[in-house]
Amino acid sequence: MTEGRIVKVSGPLVIAEGMREANMFDVVRVGDKNLIGEIIEMHGDRASIQVYEETAGIGRGDRVVSTGAPLSVELGPGLMENIYDGIQRPLVAIKNAVGPNITRGIDLPALDREKKWYFEATAKRGDKIKGGDVYGIVKENEVVEHKIMAPPGTEGKIAELLSGYYTVTDTIGKLDTEQGEVPITMMQKWPVRKARPYKEKLPPNEPLITGQRNVDSMFPVAKGGTACIPGPFGSGKTVVQHQLAKWSDADFVIYIGCGERGNEMTDVLQEFPEIADPRTGSSLMKRTVLIANTSDMPVAAREASVYTGITIAEYLRDMGCSVALIADSTSRWAEALREMSGRLEEMPGEEGYPAYLTSRLAQFYERAGMVKCIGSDDRVGALTAIGAVSPPGGDISEPVSQATLRIVKVFWGLDSSLAYRRHFPAINWLNSYSLYKDRLAPWYEKNIAADWMEQITEAMRILSKEAELDEIVKLVGIDALSASDRLTLDVAQSVREDFLQQDAMSPDDSFCPPEKQHDLLGLILYFRDAASRAIENGADIEAISTLDVRERIGRAKSAPTADYKREYEAIKSEIDAELAAVGGGR
């Protein structure tokens, strides 16, 4: 155990000497209150330490003790439904122990040491196991079956393994290894800054279904993919992220509140337990882990929170599951990097951010992916990383947004003008993109509809044409347009308001399955095709624009999912009848 003395304190940065035997990224205890810190730089026997708690009262000469271990997370039964801060301290347990305010230096284990879980052994004496192999199962709650896996790097033969009720630290068996006999427990630890290993990274070829039409149809993200949601204050980032967390077809959700306002995390804490999970019927919290690193915590703790979250996500991925990780927001994380870089007196890059900002972001996002998990079987797991970016004033030319866009494959650009018009999700269809669209097209065409991409391409063409026509309308007025162009504007409005706009409060529209998305867009295009024929047959565009059926098309998205097909067929019949009445016919 290395012990040094403080020579300088600068906010969350503490410099200590006499630390020659310590290593980079070792966790240290600072001062008499045993504040938690991490070594981020070494010069000879001087260590620069990032302290994850308020450093008031710490001064020169105070002791610093290295634990000799890197910042790690505890992984095992008890993760689900839990709320942690950025360094995996259990906030509910802390509240029960010391009250609503976190006492400095408090050190409670991340996983409950008292609770007993029923461990059901799936391996037997004499079985050879290696890192990643599943040797038991714990029913963590009515939704989650927690697979107990051998930690990476483990290899040996089971000498003993017992089913029964145990705590996460109890010895449930023994493993014969080349180094001798080692105990088997249900818990493992892993350093947060080190990616967990896997056999092979696979190409992402299956979409993460979110039930949000603007996402699934227009700008899909693959399971194991990366996406970002940049947008100014008030543009609906939190709305979009909550919808993704609620409805994504992932087995687990990791939600990281990285320096965001406390009221936003409060919304999550209040909403998620009340939401009926569409996959299971139970509370959404049953398969959710929250990292609540709010903005009133020290800036340095923000930096650790994304690593804590993604390490937990990798562990769940290793079970062969799909995990959605949502980080809100990476801008606050980058601000923590900027502050520590400034206090370390490093040469600043653009706008004061450190020169290594892009590489740190890349290290985070590259831990996403669809992989073959380690172990003897052929489990495949996926970790999808979705990061919000909060550029000042919505200017995405700033460094964090630009660095993120160079890394991720999906860009959901939020537009405050859409949000102010109450258009949610406020994803701007003209500047957003998904580089997974062509790769995912075969999946959609095989599993949803053969003309999926044809429909989506046509909808995007209509919206692009609308943008061109809007410029003409501003100059010469709508009366100067041809009947077909005016129809294009009407159809584009229907695509925007009846298809892309979605009501998060409606039980029938908050989640829209891909089949319904396809049929709804098909209904709008059916109206377009029928109206085009009517115009060719002499129908008046004014009469077509005021048809009663258009209002029914607008309400079609709220049709109950169970019987929407019958409703859509009835609307098509009504379209034909009303167009025939205004002189179009079929």
Side-chain angles (χ1 to χ4, degrees):
M1 183 179 292
T2 303
E3 183 171 325
R5 294 290 167 181
I6 294 175
V7 295
K8 178 182 177 183
V9 179
S10 175
L13 175 68
V14 167
I15 297 177
E17 61 184 10
M19 304 289 290
R20 189 175 296 276
E21 300 301 318
N23 298 310
M24 277 285 288
F25 301 122
D26 274 2
V27 172
V28 298
R29 290 292 181 169
V30 179
D32 295 334
K33 291 187 177 294
N34 288 327
L35 307 185
I36 300 172
E38 181 184 19
I39 296 175
I40 57 173
E41 200 173 83
M42 292 288 293
H43 292 287
D45 73 337
R46 283 199 170 199
S48 296
I49 298 161
Q50 181 171 260
V51 182
Y52 294 127
E53 300 181 78
E54 175 58 53
T55 56
I58 302 297
R60 285 176 59 92
D62 287 354
R63 70 189 183 101
V64 173
V65 179
S66 171
T67 62
L71 183 65
S72 303
V73 289
E74 296 182 352
L75 304 166
L79 284 172
M80 292 301 112
E81 304 180 67
N82 228 321
I83 306 158
Y84 297 109
D85 71 358
I87 50 177
Q88 212 200 8
R89 292 184 298 187
L91 296 180
V92 174
I94 290 174
K95 178 179 179 292
N96 293 337
V98 298
N101 297 316
I102 299 177
T103 304
R104 290 199 298 166
I106 192 167
D107 185 22
L108 292 180
L111 299 180
D112 192 336
R113 298 293 196 263
E114 304 298 324
K115 184 168 183 177
K116 292 195 172 185
W117 305 91
Y118 183 76
F119 171 79
E120 182 182 342
T122 57
K124 59 185 183 300
R125 181 174 180 159
D127 286 354
K128 288 185 177 179
I129 63 170
K130 59 182 181 179
D133 283 349
V134 177
Y135 53 75
I137 290 172
V138 168
K139 191 75 173 172
E140 190 163 345
N141 54 45
E142 60 265 34
V143 172
V144 175
E145 194 173 75
H146 198 116
K147 295 176 181 174
I148 308 301
M149 302 172 289
T154 302
E155 191 165 355
K157 186 184 291 185
I158 294 177
E160 182 183 21
L161 193 62
L162 304 171
S163 297
Y165 285 94
Y166 301 97
T167 68
V168 291
T169 54
D170 285 344
T171 298
I172 56 176
K174 294 175 182 175
L175 188 68
D176 278 332
T177 69
E178 291 181 357
Q179 291 76 36
E181 202 169 67
V182 296
I184 299 174
T185 68
M186 289 189 280
M187 184 183 80
Q188 55 178 277
K189 288 189 174 185
W190 191 261
V192 298
R193 297 183 187 277
K194 181 181 177 183
R196 286 176 66 90
Y198 50 82
K199 287 182 187 174
E200 178 188 352
K201 187 165 271 193
L202 304 172
N205 53 19
E206 182 182 340
L208 181 74
I209 300 300
T210 67
Q212 311 307 300
R213 292 186 288 270
N214 214 330
V215 173
D216 293 345
S217 295
M218 299 300 190
F219 313 109
V221 61
K223 282 185 178 177
T226 53
C228 71
I229 316 175
F233 177 79
S235 60
K237 288 190 296 297
T238 304
V239 172
V240 174
Q241 289 179 106
H242 286 197
Q243 287 295 95
L244 296 177
K246 292 173 191 175
W247 303 114
S248 296
D249 68 334
D251 299 303
F252 299 105
V253 176
I254 311 295
Y255 192 100
I256 307 170
C258 177
E260 282 303 295
R261 289 169 294 280
N263 61 313
E264 293 186 359
M265 284 309 299
T266 303
D267 288 344
V268 174
L269 297 175
Q270 290 178 339
E271 284 182 19
F272 279 27
E274 302 296 326
I275 296 168
D277 185 350
R279 295 163 59 90
T280 64
S282 299
S283 166
L284 184 64
M285 277 297 293
K286 298 288 185 184
R287 58 182 182 92
T288 300
V289 182
L290 298 179
I291 312 293
N293 204 80
T294 51
S295 52
D296 62 342
M297 293 181 180
V299 169
R302 300 179 190 174
E303 201 259 342
S305 61
V306 296
Y307 295 111
T308 297
I310 204 162
T311 305
I312 294 172
E314 286 176 330
Y315 170 74
L316 297 171
R317 173 208 69 191
D318 289 348
M319 295 183 191
C321 299
S322 172
V323 185
L325 178 134
I326 298 170
D328 183 16
S329 86
T330 54
S331 293
R332 306 285 173 263
W333 173 66
E335 286 171 7
L337 287 180
R338 179 167 62 182
E339 172 159 341
M340 292 309 298
S341 176
R343 293 185 184 278
L344 289 167
E345 299 178 5
E346 296 172 338
M347 183 68 73
E350 189 179 357
E351 293 190 20
Y353 287 100
Y356 47 78
L357 171 65
T358 303
S359 65
R360 289 287 180 87
L361 278 166
Q363 287 168 12
F364 168 67
Y365 281 110
E366 73 182 5
R367 290 172 71 169
M370 180 172 280
V371 303
K372 283 186 180 176
C373 307
I374 59 171
S376 303
D377 57 5
D378 293 321
R379 296 193 306 274
V380 173
L383 168 51
T384 309
I386 301 167
V389 185
S390 308
D395 177 16
I396 64 168
S397 65
E398 57 88 38
V400 181
S401 299
Q402 288 302 305
T404 304
L405 290 177
R406 285 196 289 270
I407 298 162
V408 301
K409 299 290 193 293
V410 179
F411 168 61
W412 296 317
L414 297 180
D415 190 330
S416 55
S417 64
L418 286 175
Y420 293 148
R421 297 205 300 266
R422 297 295 184 266
H423 185 292
F424 289 105
I427 297 173
N428 189 313
W429 47 88
L430 296 177
N431 60 19
S432 300
Y433 61 81
S434 170
L435 301 182
Y436 295 116
K437 191 177 284 189
D438 292 339
R439 182 180 288 277
L440 297 176
W443 187 94
Y444 279 112
E445 290 168 353
K446 177 184 177 182
N447 294 281
I448 308 301
D451 63 342
W452 175 276
M453 286 306 296
E454 184 182 329
Q455 272 198 180
I456 300 303
T457 303
E458 184 60 18
M460 288 301 297
R461 190 196 67 77
I462 290 169
L463 293 170
S464 299
K465 182 69 174 175
E466 179 195 35
E468 295 174 15
L469 294 174
D470 276 344
E471 296 299 317
I472 297 173
V473 170
K474 289 174 184 175
L475 290 172
V476 296
I478 196 168
D479 293 334
L481 298 181
S482 65
S484 62
D485 283 345
R486 289 184 62 179
L487 176 62
T488 297
L489 289 179
D490 283 348
V491 174
Q493 180 184 4
S494 189
V495 171
R496 286 189 286 105
E497 297 180 359
D498 305 336
F499 182 74
L500 295 181
Q501 194 170 348
Q502 204 159 340
D503 186 355
M505 298 296 114
S506 166
D508 294 311
D509 196 37
S510 185
F511 176 85
C512 186
E515 295 81 3
K516 186 177 178 182
Q517 296 181 34
H518 171 266
D519 291 351
L520 177 58
L521 185 55
L523 179 65
I524 295 169
L525 295 178
Y526 182 90
F527 170 79
R528 191 276 308 267
D529 294 340
S532 294
R533 290 192 295 269
I535 290 172
E536 289 172 3
N537 292 337
D540 180 39
I541 183 62
E542 293 287 353
I544 291 174
S545 297
T546 56
L547 290 176
D548 291 340
V549 74
R550 291 202 59 203
E551 185 177 341
R552 195 170 174 189
I553 294 172
R555 294 196 302 267
K557 61 186 176 185
S558 298
T561 301
D563 60 354
Y564 72 88
K565 284 185 177 291
R566 186 172 68 246
E567 171 73 6
Y568 288 7
E569 289 302 318
I571 294 174
K572 286 180 181 178
S573 299
E574 191 173 332
I575 289 171
D576 293 337
E578 292 194 10
L579 285 173
V582 297
R586 275 203 58 132

